[in-house]
Amino acid sequence: MTHAQAASRVEVLRRELNRHNYLYYVLDRPEISDAEYDRLMRELEGLEQQFPDLVTADSPTQRVGAAPLEAFGTVTHTIPMLSLKNAMNEEEARAFDQRSRKSLGIAEDIEYVAEPKLDGLAVELVYENGLFVKGSTRGDGYTGEDITQNLRTIRSIPLCLVQKDLLPLPDYLEVRGEVILPLDDFARLNGEREVSGEPLFANPRNAAAGSLRQLDPRITARRPLDIFCYGVGAVRGWDFRDQWDMLHTLPDWGLKVNPLIQRCRDIDEAIAYYREIGGKRDGLAYEIDGVVLKVNSFRLQAELGEISRSPQWAIACKFPPRQETTKLLDIIVQVGRTGALTPVAVLQPVRVSGVEVSRATLHNPGEVARKDVRIGDTVVVQRAGDVIPEVVMPVVAKRSGAERVFAMPGNCPACGAEVDGSEDIWRCTAGISCPAQRKEAIRHFAMRTAMDIDGLGEKIVEQLVEKGLVKDPADLYDLTVEDILTLERMAEKSATNLKNAIDKSRNSTLPRFLFALGIRQVGEHTAKLLAEHFGGIGKIEEATEEELMAVREVGPEVARSIHSFFRQEKNLHVVRRLEAAVRLEAIAPKGEGIFSGLTFVFTGTLPTLSRDEAKRLVETRGGRAASSVSKKTSYVVAGEEAGSKLDDAQRLGVMVIDEARFMEMVGEGAQ
Ligand code: IVH
């Protein structure tokens, strides 16, 4: 291919990829499969590699191009990013309407635009001649942090604006919006952090903020952040008629606007909207904490102006928080798999938005001190979405004087070993010899997503450890049926079943095995990346920190943790014994297996394969096994009593096959 031919092909590919990106991430209406998208992307990557001078900053290949930063720069906002005054109920919203009319000196109704108040992080995006050139946080409203390279990783932020019907674009555009992390992604992220021993995010907003503050954009890229745009700053070369017109023009340029926005003729309609959205709140995929009412006309907005850093033409009507008060009966300390000591509040049971709460995390000792929560306090408890409940604060006015200040124990409550309190998270120093850590390590090893040992539940692990039958995961493979029979209420049949399940887990894969070892900071995802990169456990054991950091998404902290794990004699000893006990199937390097680019969903009972075996067959061949059907699913493999997933597949036009056809594909390669 000549340079000129490549240049025009690159142009076509970019336009196509940008269009499909927009269809998928902004409109949620994809037209092609993941595999087709990947093919276009690979072709573009290939051409850009061959002709490096054709690479441009707005190329879809360049979303995660930048190297980690030392620190963020600062950005001064051309027009300050103000904050909203709150109305706590309908009455206060009506008072806002009255105030506005009075100050405008008008008797007629004011038209409002009503929008959900998204609970995320406010950002500003700058487009020059249609190109995304800078993005920043709100900061103190006047100056924020330059987070351009992190914002570039968010798929719903276009790197270049779309020119609808070939109409000209504004020369200069500052767009404002809220970056959010959807609730299910938030739950998944916290789940991963829990298994890899990292501190949990308290709510999706903190998780979104934490993700945007990463100095390494590769980490941000892994967080499925999204954006909804709701306003503009400085604009040159374009005039919007009013707020409603602006919110309808931004999507024409490829920018995402929340679909729940509504134009309201007067305050009554706006209040009806507030009620309606309040009713929908629990069913939304992301957190909102109210609705925002904005005077639609820009002329009236300008007339109303602003007072003390808040616009007089807009108000946030907040929803009642999902909070309750209850008694804090005690604070106990739990020991996790990595030895982390977590203070947990034991509460008088209370219902918070429909769910009974009797325990709530206090995160870490610093948090207890900062909030000054004492045993015996009346406390405010909250749940944000589906999030683990947390103690917000004590109700100081309700103190009787009998409350007790909590102190962290100097010794591990499970084994009595010394505690290391030199960092935010306190840890038991005994390592695997601490029975609490031992139990957690064994439970982790047996987890469904790790070695998948069926029937090795909490109670059994507890007894195995307490009886001294199992000290580390490798001991599991030496257990005999007779050993198992010594456990309480254990019959011959269940003992044999457990023994069989343990033996079955001897056949596994490298990513599962790596994850099962419970190395701090190594979750399922990192384990997969490590396995794909190194291909064998021996190479990972020997790798230096630098070599580990060469793995995609592995930063210095993770590298240090892996390196130090394999430098500890007691860990190596366990790994050696495990290596002798298990047989690990080789996995196809990413993108090379016969199923690469394909996503499978399994539903119903398959005649011969278990879910995990099926999943393994897909993953070892470079494919992905997902739990729910979407337009991106390549095949649904249906067994007996397949339920709603089969309906979903039929509705979405996804190909449905049976186990026999699936096994043929496994044998022959996917067509
Ligand atoms: S308008 C001057 N619209 O609320 C107008 N803000 O206290 C200021 N927010 O910093 C922003 N959803 O983080 C606006 N639909 C929405 C919003 C929204 C959430 C946040 C935003 C802002 C804060 C204002």
Side-chain angles (χ1 to χ4, degrees):
M1 194 181 274
T2 66
H3 188 276
Q5 282 168 329
S8 68
R9 180 68 188 152
V10 160
E11 187 77 7
V12 171
L13 286 169
R14 279 191 198 144
R15 204 166 329 116
E16 272 302 275
L17 282 161
N18 283 339
R19 193 170 71 83
H20 290 301
N21 195 65
Y22 173 65
L23 284 167
Y24 184 81
Y25 288 102
V26 180
L27 301 184
D28 197 14
R29 231 175 33 218
E31 285 179 3
I32 59 173
S33 71
D34 269 15
E36 267 172 279
Y37 184 90
D38 289 346
R39 242 192 322 275
L40 295 175
M41 187 65 115
R42 274 201 297 269
E43 189 186 343
L44 178 59
E45 278 166 357
L47 286 173
E48 287 181 350
Q49 239 164 40
Q50 213 181 330
F51 302 98
D53 64 306
L54 293 179
V55 180
T56 56
D58 66 325
S59 170
T61 60
Q62 303 299 305
R63 280 207 181 259
V64 202
L69 293 172
E70 293 285 324
F72 295 117
T74 53
V75 171
T76 305
H77 302 300
T78 325
I79 299 175
M81 292 178 77
L82 304 175
S83 60
L84 295 166
K85 282 271 180 306
N86 292 332
M88 302 315 285
N89 50 44
E90 296 184 6
E91 208 183 319
E92 291 183 18
R94 282 189 193 283
F96 159 75
D97 178 64
Q98 297 243 314
R99 234 179 10 250
S100 306
R101 285 196 293 174
K102 189 162 169 224
S103 118
L104 291 168
I106 56 170
E108 60 266 35
D109 292 326
I110 296 179
E111 186 178 68
Y112 293 103
V113 172
E115 308 167 12
K117 184 167 191 301
L118 306 148
D119 200 7
L121 200 77
V123 299
E124 181 169 78
L125 316 172
V126 182
Y127 287 88
E128 278 177 11
N129 301 315
L131 280 191
F132 176 48
V133 291
K134 198 171 274 308
S136 53
T137 59
R138 172 174 179 271
D140 62 4
Y142 299 93
T143 48
E145 282 175 320
D146 182 341
I147 50 163
T148 312
Q149 58 169 349
N150 289 343
L151 290 169
R152 287 175 64 94
T153 69
I154 301 178
R155 302 296 174 135
S156 45
I157 295 182
L159 297 179
C160 55
L161 297 180
V162 181
Q163 227 175 331
K164 198 192 177 196
D165 303 330
L166 294 177
L167 286 171
L169 291 168
D171 307 329
Y172 181 87
L173 173 72
E174 291 173 359
V175 191
R176 289 162 179 193
E178 196 87 347
V179 170
I180 54 156
L181 184 69
L183 285 166
D184 55 352
D185 293 312
F186 167 71
R188 186 152 7 104
L189 176 64
N190 256 358
E192 280 171 20
R193 291 173 74 86
E194 192 164 21
V195 284
S196 60
E198 290 166 276
L200 302 189
F201 288 116
N203 52 49
R205 176 165 30 85
N206 288 3
S211 305
L212 281 180
R213 289 251 172 64
Q214 294 291 335
L215 290 167
D216 184 349
R218 293 177 304 176
I219 299 177
T220 313
R222 268 201 61 210
R223 311 271 167 88
L225 298 168
D226 203 348
I227 191 169
F228 287 116
C229 301
Y230 51 63
V232 292
V235 183
R236 287 194 292 274
W238 196 276
D239 273 322
F240 300 106
R241 275 194 307 279
D242 49 32
Q243 174 76 10
W244 189 246
D245 172 51
M246 172 185 49
L247 293 181
H248 282 79
T249 307
L250 296 180
D252 287 346
W253 296 334
L255 293 157
K256 190 163 175 175
V257 169
N258 191 283
L260 295 173
I261 55 166
Q262 191 175 302
R263 181 154 56 167
C264 305
R265 253 174 301 172
D266 55 22
I267 190 69
D268 288 334
E269 279 192 15
I271 284 176
Y273 175 87
Y274 171 64
R275 289 186 192 160
E276 184 194 328
I277 298 294
K280 287 189 177 153
R281 180 189 189 190
D282 282 336
L284 293 179
Y286 44 85
E287 271 284 274
I288 62 171
D289 58 354
V291 302
V292 184
L293 305 184
K294 297 175 185 170
V295 171
N296 187 24
S297 152
F298 284 160
R299 186 178 54 80
L300 295 185
Q301 282 190 6
E303 236 176 278
L304 284 162
E306 65 204 46
I307 297 180
S308 61
R309 302 175 64 183
S310 291
Q312 295 299 291
W313 46 265
I315 192 137
C317 307
K318 306 274 278 200
F319 294 139
R322 294 181 175 124
Q323 293 183 333
E324 292 297 337
T325 56
T326 188
K327 263 266 186 291
L328 175 68
L329 304 174
D330 198 3
I331 297 179
I332 56 169
V333 175
Q334 280 180 352
V335 188
R337 175 173 54 80
T338 58
L341 267 48
T342 309
V344 175
V346 179
L347 304 164
Q348 183 124 47
V350 61
R351 285 185 87 76
V352 186
S353 53
V355 174
E356 188 169 275
V357 174
S358 55
R359 295 268 171 116
T361 177
L362 284 158
H363 300 291
N364 56 58
E367 189 93 350
V368 183
R370 201 159 39 75
K371 288 181 176 162
D372 186 25
V373 210
R374 305 180 189 173
I375 299 166
D377 262 337
T378 298
V379 290
V380 177
V381 184
Q382 79 176 9
R383 279 192 339 125
D386 285 332
V387 184
I388 24 159
E390 65 164 350
V391 173
V392 183
M393 57 177 185
V395 184
V396 178
K398 290 215 172 156
R399 279 192 180 151
S400 68
E403 295 75 18
R404 278 187 298 123
V405 174
F406 165 76
M408 280 295 276
N411 298 85
C412 170
C415 73
E418 241 176 74
V419 164
D420 174 5
S422 62
E423 287 180 43
D424 281 357
I425 299 180
W426 290 35
R427 288 181 200 275
C428 161
T429 52
I432 197 84
S433 63
C434 164
Q437 290 184 58
R438 200 174 267 172
K439 285 176 198 164
E440 290 301 319
I442 291 161
R443 282 183 58 197
H444 174 82
F445 183 83
M447 258 170 67
R448 206 182 47 75
T449 44
M451 298 302 276
D452 190 19
I453 306 178
D454 208 18
L456 195 63
E458 187 176 349
K459 288 266 151 25
I460 296 190
V461 171
E462 206 147 274
Q463 291 189 57
L464 287 171
V465 170
E466 268 155 27
K467 283 185 180 273
L469 287 167
V470 173
K471 294 193 188 60
D472 58 51
D475 288 342
L476 288 172
Y477 294 105
D478 296 334
L479 283 176
T480 61
V481 174
E482 289 68 41
D483 290 335
I484 303 174
L485 273 170
T486 66
L487 306 185
E488 269 168 45
R489 283 193 293 276
M490 180 63 77
E492 182 84 34
K493 173 111 174 40
S494 18
T496 316
N497 285 348
L498 180 55
K499 170 77 180 140
N500 289 343
I502 293 173
D503 284 340
K504 193 164 164 225
S505 77
R506 290 177 193 268
N507 289 316
S508 190
T509 63
L510 181 57
R512 280 173 175 273
F513 181 73
L514 269 178
F515 172 57
L517 291 179
I519 305 168
R520 207 186 288 172
Q521 311 263 18
V522 178
E524 242 185 299
H525 178 77
T526 307
K528 257 188 203 160
L529 296 178
L530 287 166
E532 279 164 12
H533 185 96
F534 290 101
I537 183 87
K539 296 208 185 91
I540 303 175
E541 275 176 43
E542 285 158 20
T544 63
E545 285 185 38
E546 286 69 37
E547 284 164 345
L548 288 162
M549 272 166 65
V551 179
R552 191 158 55 92
E553 294 174 38
V554 171
E557 222 181 303
V558 181
R560 199 172 318 124
S561 166
I562 303 167
H563 186 257
S564 109
F565 179 91
F566 288 112
R567 295 298 163 289
Q568 292 172 42
E569 204 41 59
K570 58 178 191 282
N571 293 338
L572 278 177
H573 180 65
V574 175
V575 173
R576 292 277 136 71
R577 286 169 52 227
L578 282 172
E579 279 177 291
V582 301
R583 200 182 58 81
L584 303 178
E585 197 173 327
I587 99 154
K590 203 173 169 59
E592 284 179 23
I594 52 166
F595 287 161
S596 74
L598 299 184
T599 303
F600 289 78
V601 172
F602 295 92
T603 178
T605 316
L606 300 177
T608 59
L609 290 173
S610 77
R611 250 335 132 72
D612 284 299
E613 282 162 350
K615 203 171 150 191
R616 194 141 65 211
L617 287 170
V618 169
E619 285 170 356
T620 50
R621 284 157 183 77
R624 214 168 74 80
S627 54
S628 61
V629 183
S630 75
K631 289 175 208 162
K632 292 164 58 175
T633 310
S634 320
Y635 293 95
V636 167
V637 185
E640 250 178 74
E641 281 172 46
S644 62
K645 290 182 196 169
L646 189 54
D647 302 337
D648 291 343
Q650 275 147 1
R651 189 167 46 79
L652 295 168
V654 175
M655 170 97 82
V656 179
I657 58 173
D658 61 7
E659 188 193 270
R661 172 69 192 124
F662 172 71
M663 287 312 287
E664 272 169 37
M665 288 166 68
V666 168
E668 82 197 11
Q671 288 312 308

